[in-house]
Amino acid sequence: MIRILLVDDHPVVREGLRGMLDTEPDLTVVGEAGSGDEAVAQSRVKEPDVILMDLRMPGLDGVGATRQILRADPSRRVVVLTTYETDADILRAVEAGAAGYLLKDASRAELAGAIRAAARGETVLAPSVAGRLVKQVRTPTGPQLSPREVEVLRLVAKGHTNSEIGRDLHISEATVKTHLLRVFGKLDVSDRTAAVTTAMSLGLLPPA
């Protein structure tokens, strides 16, 4: 029997999942949790093979709970089950160690099959999620500047002071400084000249 822990902050969702999974002869729900903190505690007590983890919950979210559970016992298999499929959510879950990422519109057969696959040590992904991950892997990653940060840096490259940049862009000097600090952090530099040269070398800023 594959032991399952259900984690979702909505009782009606947990009840529906339990009803679906209880009909499978090789699956058994051994516990439920309504929050990330409760999931971490229940994982220690119930010792599930697979944890179906909601992503967005008050307090400790699904990613944080996944990270804590796997740190305590790497043999656990966490499958995220959520309505969200943004790139950021998917990457955070995968980076935390989730063995799978499914959407709540999955059928009973898809869900049961994914749980069995996860228990065998396989990675399970909804087709749309798999496509997003492939796209992320194929797309070169690196620092990205917002359009406003590029505007500020472009004027820095022209030798403008913070107050002059503020007047040109109709923002306060304090806001200009905030944009520059964010740019410094993204480019891992500590001064204006380095920010300009680094942004140009990375193709983030056209040559002056």
Side-chain angles (χ1 to χ4, degrees), residues 181-196:
L181 287 174
R182 288 176 180 161
V183 169
F184 292 173
K186 289 180 178 181
L187 301 181
D188 194 24
V189 297
S190 56
D191 61 70
R192 297 158 70 93
T193 301
V196 170

Side-chain angles (χ1 to χ4, degrees), residues 27 56 106 120:
L27 307 181
R56 307 274 180 95
R120 292 193 299 266

Side-chain angles (χ1 to χ4, degrees), residues 47-59:
E47 298 186 342
D49 300 307
V50 177
I51 301 164
L52 286 184
M53 180 74 71
D54 189 20
L55 202 59
R56 307 274 180 95
M57 294 180 288

Side-chain angles (χ1 to χ4, degrees), residues 4-8 14 17-18 21 29 31-34 51-52:
I4 304 164
L5 174 65
L6 304 178
V7 183
D8 196 291
R14 300 198 304 271
L17 289 171
R18 180 183 283 273
L21 299 175
V29 176
E32 298 182 15
I51 301 164
L52 286 184

Side-chain angles (χ1 to χ4, degrees), residues 34 44 60 62 67 115 126 132 140 147 157 161 172 178 185 195 198 206:
R44 296 193 192 102
L60 184 66
R67 192 174 288 114
I115 291 171
R132 286 173 177 269
T161 66
S172 69
T178 297
T198 300

